Amino acid sequence: MSAKFSRVQSESSSANLLPNHMSRRMFMYTAAASVGALALESIPLPAMAARGGGSGGAVTRYPLHVPPTVSPGGFTLTAAPATVNLASTESPSLSSALAYNGFLPGPTFRANKGDSVYVSFANGLADETTVHWHGMLVATAQDGQPQDLVAPGGSRLYQYPIVQRAALNWYHPHPHMMTGEQVCLGLAGAFIVNDTIEAALGLPALQYEVPLIVRDANFDKAGNLIYNPRTTGFDGNTPLVNGTRSPYLDVERAVYRFRVLDGANARLFRLVLSNGMPFTLIGNDGGLLAAPVNVAEIEFSPGERLDLLVDFRGLSGARVMLHDANSGWDLLEFRVANSAQVTGTLPTGALSTITPLPTAALTRYFSFDGMSKINGKEYDLNRIDFTVPYGQTERWVFTTSGNGPHPVHVHGASFQVQSRTGGRGRLFPWESGWKDTVLLQDHETIDVLIRFDQYRGRYLIHCHKLEHEDMGMMANFEVI
Ligand SMILES: [Cu+2]
């Protein structure tokens, strides 16, 4: 089995500078067959010489890319093959990629609660795609689900009102069995929603608010991004932050707000600062927490977001590394100026009101089985697995028979995490408030409260390890 799978992998990696139906279909078929045939073990990685970000002074660093910020209220978004520069103008590192409007990551949408999204989308890819607005509360027809494919050369309008609180959300493709490939080759972007409650806090803004999309990547010998998936999840040997290799960011002596997304296909990151300073955590997937909390280390999984303040005011001239304690990678170097301190403070009081959901009317159980099933079933585009009454609070319980981590993501509503038993056995500060993705590890049971009170219609629950999702660890349900 592993020989067969390896062969498919190498075919895939030599063939897929651009999407390739054959390599993908072969991967899917073989992966599914493997899952059925064997105890579900991780297939060991080949030895990787490169350590990506490196850890010494010899690494050449490039200025962090920050994608352009655009309004979604009348914007044309195009997904197409592009050549992107993952380093600097002076010292380019060019890669073929799939990009939104030529950018990797795509443009950052920013809008206020109450605004309308009116995005005209054009598919310049060789494959079908969709645009899913991860974390945004939208009607089924606007959710970019696998049923609503945009054909190659085709286009459509995504149109919806922004009805939710301030948060960092994001957009990415969601076509069944092709999400992993399209995201890995570059298709993802941030979507920041602001509101008046957040604005009243006077949090760092403009150049002091920086989105950070953190992911891993693999390259061929020519330096082009490749997608060489494994059943255990795509495993890249090089970190990218905002599509930048070995980035640095010049910062003033100020408080900065970092809007962080784990945009990897499968990798968990454990963020720490090299000087031991804590992050001030103020928000997550669903926006601001009730109150800030200082944390020295944060582990998060694909699809999860973090809203972090970092105080550089007392660090004149210092260099501070954002480090991933899981891989040992240096993700981003902050170079603090010697200039005068900028006014600004860390918030200490209440940030927002999180109203607890009421007692659940019923409990549903979801077992994330193998690498491709929920409750023993693989995803079927045409099957609705259960219905949920509109406006009813429910208790959803996530368990797994193994092969974690499984980042569990739900469309159509945010949830409130109640408990984690087994495994890590506790909840973490970044799991309070509102979430739409929660990390389920082996031996864990996670309990959440959820209520669909925005739209009726068909939505999805799935593993956000994109290879698990593509293999079928996903289910349709309908809010009625
Ligand atoms: Cu999974």
Side-chain angles (χ1 to χ4, degrees):
M1 174 288 257
S2 69
K4 191 177 171 194
F5 187 62
S6 304
R7 180 170 52 76
V8 172
Q9 271 198 300
S10 62
E11 282 174 13
S12 173
S13 55
S14 62
N16 66 359
L17 295 184
L18 294 177
N20 177 312
H21 272 291
M22 287 311 293
S23 63
R24 179 179 62 249
R25 301 282 182 240
M26 286 181 70
F27 161 68
M28 295 315 309
Y29 174 80
T30 312
S34 307
V35 167
L38 265 202
L40 299 164
E41 305 170 3
S42 168
I43 298 161
L45 276 175
M48 294 290 185
R51 292 295 286 166
S55 55
V59 177
T60 303
R61 297 201 156 266
Y62 307 101
L64 178 75
H65 301 176
V66 178
T69 299
V70 300
S71 163
F75 188 79
T76 299
L77 184 73
T78 302
T83 299
V84 295
N85 183 357
L86 304 173
S88 64
T89 313
E90 301 72 38
S91 176
S93 172
L94 299 181
S95 170
S96 63
L98 304 180
Y100 288 118
N101 294 23
F103 293 99
L104 187 172
T108 299
F109 288 115
R110 185 187 281 274
N112 292 312
K113 180 178 179 178
D115 289 350
S116 287
V117 170
Y118 194 94
V119 171
S120 178
F121 173 69
N123 181 7
L125 306 173
D127 280 309
E128 299 90 347
T129 192
T130 74
V131 183
H132 169 56
W133 311 90
H134 182 133
M136 303 293 291
L137 292 177
V138 302
T140 302
Q142 309 301 322
D143 197 36
Q145 296 181 13
Q147 292 87 347
D148 296 318
L149 297 172
V150 180
S155 61
R156 66 154 288 171
L157 182 65
Y158 289 99
Q159 186 177 16
Y160 54 88
I162 298 174
V163 295
Q164 66 205 84
R165 65 204 300 263
L168 168 64
N169 296 307
W170 62 301
Y171 61 100
H172 66 79
H174 212 309
H176 187 40
M177 301 196 291
M178 297 186 286
T179 298
E181 180 177 54
Q182 293 184 4
V183 172
C184 190
L185 294 179
L187 294 173
F191 194 134
I192 296 173
V193 176
N194 296 122
D195 67 16
T196 53
I197 294 168
E198 177 197 42
L201 294 170
L203 294 168
L206 302 172
Q207 72 267 39
Y208 306 111
E209 180 188 13
V210 185
L212 299 177
I213 299 184
V214 183
R215 54 164 291 185
D216 54 352
N218 278 328
F219 298 91
D220 66 11
K221 287 197 174 68
N224 292 309
L225 286 168
I226 56 169
Y227 180 55
N228 49 346
R230 317 178 73 87
T231 53
T232 46
F234 173 84
D235 190 13
N237 62 14
T238 304
L240 293 177
V241 182
N242 294 351
T244 323
R245 302 177 84 136
S246 303
Y248 72 88
L249 180 66
D250 285 322
V251 295
E252 296 173 52
R253 291 178 58 200
V255 177
Y256 278 71
R257 182 181 187 191
F258 296 106
R259 316 298 302 268
V260 194
L261 162 69
D262 183 338
N265 280 40
R267 179 177 292 273
L268 312 187
F269 291 96
R270 186 184 295 272
L271 304 181
V272 293
L273 291 168
S274 59
N275 63 350
M277 199 167 68
F279 304 100
T280 300
L281 172 78
I282 60 167
N284 59 1
D285 309 358
L288 293 167
L289 306 182
V293 49
N294 285 346
V295 278
E297 186 178 284
I298 303 176
E299 185 172 54
F300 71 142
S301 63
E304 293 190 276
R305 285 90 76 200
L306 301 167
D307 197 343
L308 303 176
L309 300 182
V310 178
D311 186 356
F312 296 109
R313 288 175 299 174
L315 297 171
S316 183
R319 293 195 173 193
V320 179
M321 192 67 78
L322 177 66
H323 190 72
D324 171 31
N326 282 347
S327 62
W329 287 342
D330 290 336
L331 298 175
L332 171 62
E333 184 180 66
F334 300 110
R335 299 180 177 176
V336 188
N338 281 309
S339 53
Q341 184 173 313
V342 176
T343 322
T345 52
L346 292 168
T348 50
L351 294 169
S352 75
T353 302
I354 309 286
T355 306
L357 287 169
T359 306
L362 67 78
T363 301
R364 298 180 199 273
Y365 295 89
F366 300 88
S367 176
F368 291 78
D369 300 327
M371 300 184 185
S372 62
K373 292 175 180 161
I374 298 175
N375 291 340
K377 290 180 189 165
E378 280 183 11
Y379 178 67
D380 178 339
L381 216 71
N382 300 309
R383 190 185 69 228
I384 303 285
D385 284 320
F386 58 101
T387 58
V388 181
Y390 177 91
Q392 170 172 286
T393 299
E394 303 194 342
R395 178 171 165 253
W396 287 15
V397 180
F398 307 137
T399 60
T400 176
S401 57
N403 302 292
H406 304 292
V408 177
H409 173 49
V410 181
H411 295 211
S414 291
F415 49 75
Q416 295 177 346
V417 187
Q418 303 297 299
S419 69
R420 175 185 283 110
T421 52
R424 290 170 293 160
R426 55 169 289 207
L427 296 180
F428 298 91
W430 52 93
E431 295 176 320
S432 64
W434 292 100
K435 292 283 287 171
D436 58 53
T437 308
V438 65
L439 173 57
L440 175 68
Q441 288 278 24
D442 289 349
H443 314 297
E444 292 183 353
T445 297
I446 294 174
D447 216 305
V448 310
L449 291 178
I450 191 164
R451 180 175 67 195
F452 296 84
D453 51 14
Q454 198 63 54
Y455 295 103
R456 291 179 170 81
R458 185 193 61 229
Y459 292 99
L460 291 161
I461 177 170
H462 65 85
C463 179
H464 216 288
K465 180 184 280 188
L466 298 182
E467 288 67 38
H468 285 183
E469 171 184 336
D470 277 343
M471 287 190 281
M473 190 174 272
M474 180 154 68
N476 294 307
F477 60 90
E478 189 169 3
V479 178
I480 56 168

